[in-house]
C-alpha cells in the first residue's frame, strides 16, 4: 500500500482498491489526484471471494473505501468524490452541463468500453474472437463514433474549457479501445474523431496522467505477456506511450 499524495485539505481518509491494468481503477485514481485528495492505494485484483464481495458486490475493481463504507462502480465513485472531497471541481455547476458530463460517461461506458471489452479475449487475453462478434461490435462502434463526434467540443476539453470527469473517463477508455480497434479493425478510434488526437496530447501533459499512465504501461506489459495476448505494446496505438530509451 502506498500513500499517493498528501494535501493540506485533508477531509477524509480514502482507500482506492484495484490495480493499474484496469481503466476504471485508473479513472478513479486520476480523479483523486486531480482533486489533490489524500488517499491510499490498495493494489488488488478483482475477486469473487466473500470478503471482496462485501466491498464490491460484483467482485469488480475499483472500489473505494470511504469513512462511511465501501463504494464500487466508477461513475458513482466520481460523484462521491465531487460531493465529499475538496479540490478542483470535476463537474460543472450548471445542471444541464453536469448531466452532459454523465451523458458522455454513460455513452463511453456502455457503447464504447463495454463493446470493445467483448473483444478483449482475442486481443488482450490470449484466446480468440468470433467473426460475427467482431462484425456486430464494429457496427455498434460506428454509431458510437458518430455520437461522440457530435458531443465532444474540444474547447479544449471534451465539454468546454474546464477539465471534467468526462475527460478522465474517456481518456482511459479510449486508450485501450484505440489499441484494440487498430488491432481488430485496422483503423484508429482516435483518428476517426477529429480533435481527439490533439485532446489526447493535451491530456497526457497532466500530472495525473503521467502518474497513472506510467504505472499502467509498466503493469500492462507484464499482463499481456502473462495472458499470452495477441497484442503487444510494440504494435502501438492508444494514447500512452513508453518513453523512448536513449540508445
Ligand atoms: N462498471 C464498472 C466496471 C468495472 C470493471 O469492469 N472492472 C474490471 C477491471 S477493468 C473488473 O473488475 N473485471 C473483473 C470481473 O469483471 O470479474 C465500473 O464502473 O467500475
Amino acid at each position: 500500500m502506498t500513500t499517493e499524495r498528501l494535501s493540506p485539505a485533508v477531509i477524509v481518509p480514502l482507500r482506492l482498491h484495484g490495480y493499474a491494468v484496469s481503466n476504471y481503477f485508473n479513472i478513479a485514481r486520476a480523479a483523486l489526484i486531480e482533486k489533490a485528495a489524500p488517499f491510499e492505494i490498495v493494489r488488488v485484483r478483482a475477486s469473487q471471494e466473500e470478503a471482496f464481495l462485501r466491498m464490491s458486490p460484483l467482485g469488480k475493481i475499483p472500489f473505494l473505501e470511504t469513512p462511511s463504507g465501501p463504494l464500487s462502480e466508477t461513475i458513482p465513485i466520481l460523484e462521491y468524490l465531487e460531493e465529499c472531497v475538496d479540490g478542483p471541481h470535476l463537474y460543472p455547476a450548471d445542471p444541464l452541463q453536469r448531466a452532459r458530463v454523465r451523458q458522455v460517461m454513460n455513452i463511453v461506458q456502455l457503447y464504447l468500453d463495454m463493446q470493445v471489452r467483448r473483444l478483449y479475449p482475442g486481443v488482450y487475453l490470449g484466446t480468440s474472437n468470433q467473426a460475427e462478434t467482431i462484425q456486430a461490435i464494429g457496427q455498434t462502434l460506428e454509431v458510437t463514433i458518430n455520437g461522440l463526434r457530435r458531443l465532444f467540443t474540444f474547447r479544449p476539453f471534451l465539454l468546454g474549457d474546464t477539465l471534467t470527469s468526462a475527460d478522465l473517463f474517456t481518456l482511459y477508455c479510449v486508450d485501450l479501445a484505440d489499441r484494440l480497434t487498430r488491432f481488430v479493425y485496422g483503423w484508429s478510434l482516435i483518428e476517426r474523431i477529429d480533435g481527439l488526437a490533439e485532446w489526447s496530447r493535451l491530456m497526457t501533459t497532466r500530472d495525473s496522467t503521467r502518474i497513472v499512465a506510467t504505472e499502467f504501461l509498466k503493469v500492462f506489459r507484464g499482463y499481456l505477456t502473462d495472458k499470452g495476448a495477441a497484442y503487444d505494446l510494440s504494435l502501438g496505438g492508444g494514447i500512452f506511450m513508453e518513453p523512448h530509451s536513449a540508445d
Side-chain angles (χ1 to χ4, degrees), residues 21-213:
V21 167
S22 163
N23 48 330
Y24 291 102
F25 169 80
N26 289 338
I27 293 162
R29 182 180 180 186
L32 282 155
I33 297 171
E34 289 288 347
K35 284 201 161 280
F39 73 104
E40 294 172 348
I41 291 179
V42 183
R43 289 186 170 78
V44 288
R45 306 275 179 124
S47 163
Q48 289 295 317
E49 298 283 323
E50 175 57 30
F52 196 96
L53 294 175
R54 278 198 292 265
M55 309 295 266
S56 174
L58 299 189
K60 292 184 188 291
I61 53 168
F63 71 84
L64 185 71
E65 235 185 300
T66 83
S68 325
L71 180 65
S72 65
E73 292 295 315
T74 304
I75 293 175
I77 290 173
L78 294 172
E79 297 199 354
Y80 172 87
L81 296 179
E82 183 69 5
E83 284 169 28
C84 299
V85 174
D86 265 356
H89 290 293
L90 294 175
Y91 289 80
D94 175 78
L96 182 60
Q97 299 311 319
R98 268 175 107 81
R100 291 215 165 115
V101 170
R102 298 186 185 114
Q103 180 188 27
V104 164
M105 294 194 293
N106 251 39
I107 290 173
V108 169
Q109 175 160 225
L110 294 177
Y111 308 112
L112 177 65
D113 186 75
M114 296 305 286
Q115 303 303 316
V116 297
R117 202 164 271 269
R118 291 170 58 203
L119 300 175
Y120 279 11
V123 183
Y124 298 137
L125 301 178
T127 60
S128 59
N129 294 324
Q130 299 210 321
E132 309 85 74
T133 314
I134 293 173
Q135 205 221 345
I137 290 170
Q139 283 173 0
T140 303
L141 291 179
E142 293 301 321
V143 177
T144 306
I145 288 167
N146 283 333
L148 293 177
R149 281 187 187 130
R150 288 168 189 272
L151 284 168
F152 293 160
T153 71
F154 301 118
R155 288 183 192 156
F157 295 103
L158 293 183
L159 295 175
D161 59 7
T162 313
L163 179 86
T164 69
S165 289
D167 292 283
L168 303 178
F169 200 94
T170 303
L171 182 70
Y172 295 95
C173 292
V174 163
D175 176 78
L176 285 173
D178 183 77
R179 295 173 197 275
L180 183 144
T181 62
R182 283 172 181 263
F183 186 84
V184 174
Y185 299 106
W187 48 259
S188 158
L189 170 70
I190 294 173
E191 288 171 7
R192 295 278 310 277
I193 301 178
D194 284 346
L196 205 57
E198 204 182 331
W199 166 85
S200 301
R201 283 191 288 277
L202 172 71
M203 291 299 292
T204 57
T205 64
R206 304 189 75 81
D207 284 349
S208 71
T209 315
R210 286 202 198 98
I211 294 167
V212 174

